[in-house]
Amino acid sequence: MKKLLLLLIPFIGVAQDFPDGMVAVEFNASFNKANEVAWLSKLTDCETERVDITADTRWSKEYKIVVVPTIVIFNNNEEVKRFQANIMMTMEATKSEVQNSIDEIVMEAF
């Protein structure tokens, strides 16, 4: 019984950063607020979240964020697609490009 409990301990309380399902997350920094992705909340068939990597450096380390803003699409907490900003710290990917990626992921599930 003791061995069984020791095996289960790593799985108890495992936190997920984002909800299950499809989630588009914009990682940005407070100093780059002017370049926030304005259309993020208009994406469909997914939830959306914004994360300020300057508020907690864990985010940039854990998700290897090297430029802001970066949009990462997660499906059940697994990264499936990433869009990064250009050297001017603005997102070059369009809403249509990101939405097309989300749509493809949804269709692959069928």
Side-chain angles (χ1 to χ4, degrees):
M1 182 68 167
K2 185 176 181 181
K3 288 182 182 181
L4 178 62
L5 286 175
L6 290 175
L7 289 173
L8 291 175
I9 287 175
F11 299 103
I12 297 172
V14 174
Q16 291 182 200
D17 288 326
F18 307 108
D20 284 336
M22 188 82 60
V23 184
V25 180
E26 176 193 4
F27 294 91
N28 206 346
S30 55
F31 62 81
N32 194 43
K33 183 100 170 127
N35 292 323
E36 181 177 271
V37 178
W39 43 260
L40 183 73
S41 64
K42 292 180 171 63
L43 295 171
T44 61
D45 296 321
C46 69
E47 293 191 41
T48 59
E49 294 198 21
R50 295 184 194 276
V51 173
D52 180 355
I53 64 168
T54 57
D56 185 348
T57 58
R58 172 184 73 93
W59 297 105
S60 58
K61 292 176 186 172
E62 185 173 339
Y63 294 104
K64 297 174 178 55
I65 306 301
V66 295
V67 63
V68 291
T70 294
I71 295 175
V72 179
I73 300 172
F74 295 94
N75 192 11
N76 295 321
N77 279 285
E78 181 180 326
E79 181 177 335
V80 291
K81 187 75 175 173
R82 180 178 289 236
F83 300 89
Q84 294 180 312
N86 60 24
I87 195 166
M88 300 300 292
M89 295 193 302
T90 59
M91 181 58 62
E92 286 188 338
T94 65
K95 175 186 175 281
S96 179
E97 291 172 323
V98 175
Q99 186 65 61
N100 285 342
S101 292
I102 291 167
D103 294 343
E104 286 176 15
I105 296 163
V106 168
M107 292 305 292
E108 287 175 2
F110 288 105

